[in-house]
Amino acid sequence: MSSKLPSPFDATNYQPWLGDGSHHHVENRYAYALEEGEPAPEFPAFPVGLVGHIASFIEDKAPRPMRAASLIGALGFVAGIVGRAWNVEGSGMNEYFVLLAPSSSGKEAATKGPEILLNAVTEKVPEASTFIGPGDVSSKTALARYTSKASPPCFAMFIPEFGEWIEPIVSPKASEARQSLRKMLLDLSEKGGKGSVLRKSAYADSANNIEDVYSPAVTIVGDSNPTTFFEVVSERNTGNGFFARFIILQNEDRVAHYNKDHASVEPPARLIEDVASLCSHSLNLNHAKTVIAVEIATSAYDELTDFRNTCDEGRDMAEDEYKRAVWGRGFVHALRVAAILAVGRNAYMPTIEICDARWAVSLVTCSIEKLLNKFEDGEVGNVSQSEVARLNEIKRAVARYLRSNWHDVSTYAGERNSNLHSAKIVPYGYIQRSVYKLKPFKDAAFGKSSDAIKQTIRIMVERGELSEMSKAVLSKDFSYSGNAFAVERPEAFLE
């Protein structure tokens, strides 16, 4: 089939092709006029337009379909194409994304699906391969050199096992080279806009010098299992803006059934044409040093303004620096994602509509809430050092005891202690057996797991959530000779 691209790429032609109106301006199949009162799609539904179509292909192609993986892959792929040649409110549209899901659950679709699609696109536009960058870089020098040589300096890096990759970069013991890479990633997130410059680097050997790079737009798409990723997240490297720069999605659904037809799925011809057209147009704009500004419709502006006010309130009311950083970045994320969707719908006259804004806001809200909840639950960093994580594990164990019938807890609580369960008195042995193998206790820094359990219970007693029962009362009224605790504040466990 011959190419039907309206804009075949010609690197020698420095005047961008801006469309003749016959296809993209009048019959653009992604143009979407929302009727009054019609609900706009919200994450995790597929968004309207090209991003949604790419996500649908990635999902169909996956052996274990995962909606979050499909969406992250599609967003990162399109951001890697449009991040530099389109700007929104003076900012580039490159983004950092991370997908979290257990091993063997299908998360790799986020990084593999876009590459399969790009392979088909490069048959029509070979130069489109530049929009996917390296899958690994070891230092600031390596990334700076790659970015300076990329033509254009606009690409997405798809990094599998992202938690393993990022750990030596954010570690308190990171080498100087790794620290420099972290600082560069912080810098690059803000350099995609017109007029921005990644300044030159000078080395002892002048042959290694790297010249200025104008408006580099680097997007990151990573996948990781949640445990590995959250072990390297901390208040410090979130409060300094690093992890606040990531849109983080965690898949919590059950692993999907095996898709036996995935191997036979091929990118639809129309999808290949549409992506190739976008790549071609981006290449032309980049080589012509031309930037298209994404407009914002009134209804979308109102939606985004409301979210900006929410983020401002979250930032201003936060007591912790990491919370301020996460909320402070929320509006930027939503604006860029909405703009990516808008360019996918109409690359020639892109306008953020209410459907784009609402979907972007729901995605970013989900990311913010999940990340902050991880902090609140003590599930970031080294949980073996986390008092919050230990408190939460014991609270969960007590909650199960209070909610469950006797048969379900008797093994841990002791077969002869049903009278304690009826009185909502919790034996120490039940708590100990429920939590001692869990990571916050098994790997507790200050000694044996039993010491960590006792210390955590002591804190709960001091808070008035539990009270230690008199052994005399336990012996007389319950014929029980061990340690046990009365629940003084059930709401602390059952909320």
Side-chain angles (χ1 to χ4, degrees), residues 169-414:
I169 295 172
V170 299
S171 169
K173 300 179 181 179
S175 66
E176 186 176 342
R178 296 288 188 170
Q179 290 182 48
S180 296
L181 178 56
R182 181 182 69 240
K183 292 174 183 176
M184 185 179 184
L185 291 174
L186 277 164
D187 198 22
L188 278 172
S189 68
E190 300 302 317
K191 294 298 186 182
K194 184 178 181 180
S196 296
V197 183
L198 182 67
R199 291 300 177 187
K200 65 181 67 176
S201 301
Y203 297 91
D205 184 350
S206 59
N208 294 325
N209 288 352
I210 300 169
E211 295 302 311
D212 289 345
V213 183
Y214 293 90
S215 304
V218 178
T219 288
I220 294 175
V221 180
D223 68 62
S224 177
N225 71 71
T227 301
T228 302
F229 179 78
F230 283 118
E231 280 184 350
V232 304
V233 176
S234 69
E235 291 187 16
R236 178 179 178 275
N237 56 36
T238 304
N240 66 15
F242 187 78
F243 282 109
R245 279 168 165 75
F246 286 82
I247 294 177
I248 303 168
L249 292 185
Q250 182 169 352
N251 183 70
E252 296 176 339
D253 297 332
R254 298 183 63 180
V255 177
H257 294 298
Y258 183 73
N259 176 16
K260 61 183 178 63
D261 298 321
H262 76 94
S264 62
V265 173
E266 298 293 338
R270 184 64 182 272
L271 181 61
I272 295 172
E273 292 287 351
D274 291 332
V275 176
S277 178
L278 182 64
C279 290
S280 177
H281 190 32
S282 180
L283 288 163
N284 274 324
L285 290 169
N286 274 287
H287 282 276
K289 297 181 174 60
T290 299
V291 171
I292 294 179
V294 179
E295 303 295 329
I296 305 176
T298 300
S299 59
Y301 183 83
D302 293 342
E303 186 89 7
L304 289 167
T305 298
D306 184 62
F307 184 62
R308 180 173 56 196
N309 293 337
T310 298
C311 292
D312 288 348
E313 182 179 4
R315 178 201 62 210
D316 295 341
M317 295 182 65
E319 297 178 354
D320 302 297
E321 194 62 38
Y322 74 88
K323 292 180 182 178
R324 284 192 283 270
V326 171
W327 280 116
R329 192 71 186 178
F331 174 73
V332 175
H333 285 315
L335 182 65
R336 290 185 182 183
V337 169
I340 292 166
L341 300 181
V343 175
R345 289 189 303 101
N346 188 335
Y348 296 89
M349 299 179 64
T351 301
I352 297 174
E353 301 288 354
I354 185 67
C355 56
D356 309 312
R358 191 162 296 170
W359 194 92
V361 167
S362 58
L363 169 78
V364 175
T365 299
C366 178
S367 172
I368 290 174
E369 290 179 346
K370 290 293 177 66
L371 178 58
L372 293 183
N373 285 342
K374 287 292 182 180
F375 276 102
E376 291 296 318
D377 293 341
E379 296 178 2
V380 301
N382 185 352
V383 297
S384 67
Q385 310 288 327
S386 173
E387 180 181 286
V388 175
R390 292 192 287 270
L391 285 165
N392 285 332
E393 293 295 356
I394 289 184
K395 282 188 176 184
R396 279 191 275 267
V398 173
R400 286 194 298 271
Y401 183 85
L402 296 176
R403 289 193 176 105
S404 301
N405 59 48
W406 173 244
H407 174 76
D408 293 334
V409 298
S410 60
T411 300
Y412 280 7

Side-chain angles (χ1 to χ4, degrees), residues 6-278:
S7 174
F9 173 66
D10 179 2
T12 64
N13 180 5
Y14 283 78
Q15 290 298 317
W17 187 89
L18 298 177
D20 59 12
S22 64
H23 174 65
H24 286 276
H25 294 174
V26 178
E27 299 178 3
N28 181 356
R29 70 188 182 114
Y30 297 132
Y32 189 77
L34 197 70
E35 298 294 334
E36 185 175 355
E38 181 182 352
E42 294 188 14
F43 171 83
F46 287 134
V48 174
L50 181 61
V51 172
H53 283 261
I54 294 172
S56 179
F57 162 71
I58 294 173
E59 187 171 82
D60 291 343
K61 185 64 178 174
R64 300 278 184 181
M66 182 189 298
R67 179 60 56 90
S70 304
L71 293 171
I72 287 291
L75 280 168
F77 180 49
V78 175
I81 298 169
V82 309
R84 184 173 187 261
W86 287 263
N87 282 188
V88 59
E89 294 194 347
S91 169
M93 287 156 45
N94 55 308
E95 264 290 0
Y96 295 169
F97 301 97
V98 179
L99 170 70
L100 305 177
S103 299
S104 304
S105 61
K107 66 180 183 296
E108 64 279 357
T111 54
K112 289 185 176 179
E115 292 185 348
I116 294 171
L117 179 56
L118 185 68
N119 286 339
V121 170
T122 53
E123 293 182 9
K124 295 183 174 297
V125 184
E127 295 85 353
S129 61
T130 190
F131 292 122
I132 288 189
D136 184 24
V137 289
S138 59
S139 67
K140 171 186 175 180
T141 305
L143 181 55
R145 181 162 287 113
Y146 182 92
T147 304
S148 68
K149 292 181 178 180
S151 181
C154 177
F155 53 85
M157 297 170 57
F158 290 88
I159 305 175
E161 302 304 331
F162 185 76
E164 300 282 354
W165 183 79
I166 204 72
E167 190 277 332
I169 295 172
V170 299
S171 169
K173 300 179 181 179
S175 66
E176 186 176 342
R178 296 288 188 170
Q179 290 182 48
S180 296
L181 178 56
R182 181 182 69 240
K183 292 174 183 176
M184 185 179 184
L185 291 174
L186 277 164
D187 198 22
L188 278 172
S189 68
E190 300 302 317
K191 294 298 186 182
K194 184 178 181 180
S196 296
V197 183
L198 182 67
R199 291 300 177 187
K200 65 181 67 176
S201 301
Y203 297 91
D205 184 350
S206 59
N208 294 325
N209 288 352
I210 300 169
E211 295 302 311
D212 289 345
V213 183
Y214 293 90
S215 304
V218 178
T219 288
I220 294 175
V221 180
D223 68 62
S224 177
N225 71 71
T227 301
T228 302
F229 179 78
F230 283 118
E231 280 184 350
V232 304
V233 176
S234 69
E235 291 187 16
R236 178 179 178 275
N237 56 36
T238 304
N240 66 15
F242 187 78
F243 282 109
R245 279 168 165 75
F246 286 82
I247 294 177
I248 303 168
L249 292 185
Q250 182 169 352
N251 183 70
E252 296 176 339
D253 297 332
R254 298 183 63 180
V255 177
H257 294 298
Y258 183 73
N259 176 16
K260 61 183 178 63
D261 298 321
H262 76 94
S264 62
V265 173
E266 298 293 338
R270 184 64 182 272
L271 181 61
I272 295 172
E273 292 287 351
D274 291 332
V275 176
S277 178
L278 182 64

